[in-house]
Amino acid sequence: MVIDTVGGPDDHRLLRVLPDGGRIAPVFPGDYRPERAARAGVTVSGRQVRLDGAQMADWPA
């Protein structure tokens, strides 16, 4: 697994370091194309998290 904390126009540079069945998790929305990652046998799974005031109030101290 690779967590991409940089992103940018060369996002796919990281696909070559992962084995078939690997996973990449970009922190920032990037230019990962699912079909290109699939050809490399890699799963891209990124999510954006947005907290609102109610969620922040529930956050453990």
Side-chain angles (χ1 to χ4, degrees):
M1 176 173 215
V2 169
I3 299 173
D4 180 4
T5 61
V6 177
D10 298 321
D11 288 345
H12 283 88
R13 73 195 179 289
L14 298 172
L15 293 177
R16 68 176 175 256
V17 302
L18 290 164
D20 188 35
R23 182 176 297 263
I24 190 160
V27 172
F28 303 103
D31 191 26
Y32 289 100
R33 291 179 206 91
E35 66 279 357
R36 189 169 178 184
R39 281 196 309 268
V42 173
T43 301
V44 178
S45 59
R47 293 193 172 81
Q48 292 291 314
V49 176
R50 298 176 195 264
L51 296 176
D52 62 27
Q55 287 175 321
M56 293 297 287
D58 264 353
W59 196 264

